[in-house]
Amino acid sequence: MAKDLLSQLKTMSTVVADTGDIDAIRRFEPTDATTNPSLILQAAQHEGRRERLAGIARHATHMDDALDAVAVEIGSEISQLVPGYVSTEVSARDSFDTEATLARARSLIARYAQQGVGAERILIKIAATWEGIQAARQLEREGIRCNLTLLFSFAQAQACADAGVTLISPFVGRILDWHRAQWPEADYSGDNDPGVKSVKRIHEYYKGHGYKTIVMGASFRNQEEILALAGCDRLTISPALLSELAESHGSLERRLTATEAETSPPEPQSEAEFRWELNEDPMATEKLAEGIRRFADDQRKLETLLSKLRQA
């Protein structure tokens, strides 16, 4: 009998759990785990965490302090279950403020150190705005590794590679969502999926130019998108789709390969070039803004939850 698809995928790509659910991480045994404000909000509502989070809320000097403490609390739990990276996101409100992102990232790393988790285990997640990418450039120089998220365009991928970031998270499913809304009758199966095409292009560009930045496909809508990217450096997958892959059998073919560099990297983009190319891509412009708004909204919901726990 053929092995399940998840087991086969793990031989081709590093599988990452896209969740703050401790039970799911124990079940699927991923190498890394990623979180974001939405996932932290879900994890924070678990009944078993309420007492601990109430204590954090009461002792915090201000709400930003409480939010970061909660993210590190959950991230530290996860770090005990995975051997690799744990991604923790800075505040969405800092997405257009380089200095604020730098301060928040350094604070998160310091908090992890207090919990006994070294900087080498943490990826600081930052939205791939121009300001976020410049913050990541400086953090990488300081030895703080970064995961640039909400990445929808080739321009963002180019800028991240130029900045020397450790990892990028190009979104697949949200790109598909946008195209389906625009052209609902089109065929998006298999290699026609625009999100899959985007990640393949980025992966080929990075490998062809010798960039060390890790490509981690993210935001999947179905297992077909995941299987179409088998061989990508990393794939971050929700518990529901991890379960689906674990229960599915068949032969899995490697779709992406890490070819040797063929040419030297091109000249880095200027800020004006980056902003113009992003502006010329309506899908990326809209999905980046929408993603930041969504994370900010879930951050506000977490603030409301912590305020209630503080008063309880």
Side-chain angles (χ1 to χ4, degrees):
M1 184 176 180
K3 286 185 178 180
D4 64 88
L5 293 180
L6 181 59
S7 296
Q8 294 177 69
L9 183 64
K10 286 182 176 180
T11 69
M12 303 176 193
S13 299
T14 298
V15 172
V16 180
D18 192 15
T19 183
D21 184 334
I22 298 298
D23 292 335
I25 292 171
R26 286 196 182 99
R27 177 185 173 193
F28 296 110
E29 299 181 337
T31 300
D32 301 344
T34 61
T35 65
N36 60 43
S38 303
L39 297 175
I40 291 295
L41 174 62
Q42 293 173 19
Q45 295 179 79
H46 191 281
E47 192 62 37
R49 285 201 178 94
R50 283 189 171 270
E51 186 175 343
R52 174 62 182 150
L53 297 190
I56 290 174
R58 293 189 190 105
H59 289 93
T61 55
H62 48 77
M63 189 52 69
D64 282 348
D65 182 45
L67 291 171
D68 286 357
V70 169
V72 170
E73 174 81 10
I74 294 172
S76 296
E77 284 185 59
I78 294 172
S79 73
Q80 297 175 33
L81 300 174
V82 299
Y85 293 127
V86 176
S87 290
T88 299
E89 194 147 351
V90 299
S91 171
R93 296 191 186 107
D94 296 334
S95 297
F96 303 102
D97 188 330
T98 298
E99 291 304 318
T101 297
L102 288 169
R104 203 69 174 260
R106 292 164 183 153
S107 175
L108 286 168
I109 290 297
R111 288 178 185 277
Y112 270 113
Q114 292 171 359
Q115 297 282 346
V117 182
E120 73 280 359
R121 296 289 315 282
I122 304 302
L123 291 178
I124 297 297
K125 282 184 79 173
I126 302 170
T129 59
W130 177 260
E131 294 81 2
I133 294 168
Q134 301 320 304
R137 184 191 299 275
Q138 177 58 35
L139 291 169
E140 293 282 354
R141 290 172 180 162
E142 297 175 14
I144 297 176
R145 297 169 181 175
C146 300
N147 170 355
L148 272 291
T149 188
L150 294 176
L151 194 147
F152 302 97
S153 73
F154 190 68
Q156 290 172 293
Q158 285 181 294
C160 287
D162 292 341
V165 305
T166 296
L167 180 148
I168 62 167
S169 296
F171 280 32
V172 178
R174 295 193 195 184
I175 292 177
L176 175 61
D177 293 344
W178 189 89
H179 282 82
R180 276 181 169 162
Q182 300 296 315
W183 301 284
E185 302 303 319
D187 175 18
Y188 298 118
S189 61
D191 290 334
N192 292 323
D193 187 307
V196 169
K197 287 182 178 179
S198 176
V199 175
K200 283 185 174 180
R201 181 188 180 194
I202 293 166
H203 189 272
E204 290 173 3
Y205 174 77
Y206 276 20
K207 305 313 173 187
H209 290 292
Y211 287 113
K212 301 301 182 185
T213 298
I214 296 164
V215 180
M216 182 172 73
S219 174
F220 295 106
R221 293 293 177 261
N222 52 64
Q223 70 167 261
E224 286 70 29
E225 289 180 325
I226 299 168
L227 302 182
L229 292 174
C232 188
D233 298 333
R234 279 168 164 76
L235 298 169
T236 182
I237 306 170
S238 69
L241 287 173
L242 285 172
S243 181
E244 204 174 298
L245 290 165
E247 294 168 3
S248 300
H249 294 78
S251 180
L252 178 60
E253 175 188 355
R254 179 184 291 272
R255 305 298 297 276
L256 277 70
T257 58
T259 56
E260 292 186 10
E262 299 176 359
T263 58
S264 58
E267 287 296 313
Q269 293 171 301
S270 67
E271 179 179 354
E273 288 170 333
F274 172 87
R275 293 193 185 281
W276 178 253
E277 288 185 36
L278 190 61
N279 180 74
E280 287 290 277
D281 187 336
M283 177 276 297
T285 301
E286 291 171 23
K287 298 308 286 187
L288 174 60
E290 177 188 74
I292 291 170
R293 287 195 301 271
R294 283 185 180 180
F295 284 162
D297 185 50
D298 283 334
Q299 188 174 314
R300 285 189 288 270
K301 291 176 182 176
L302 182 55
E303 289 173 350
T304 299
L305 173 62
L306 292 175
S307 294
K308 290 179 179 178
L309 291 174
R310 176 185 289 177
Q311 297 165 10

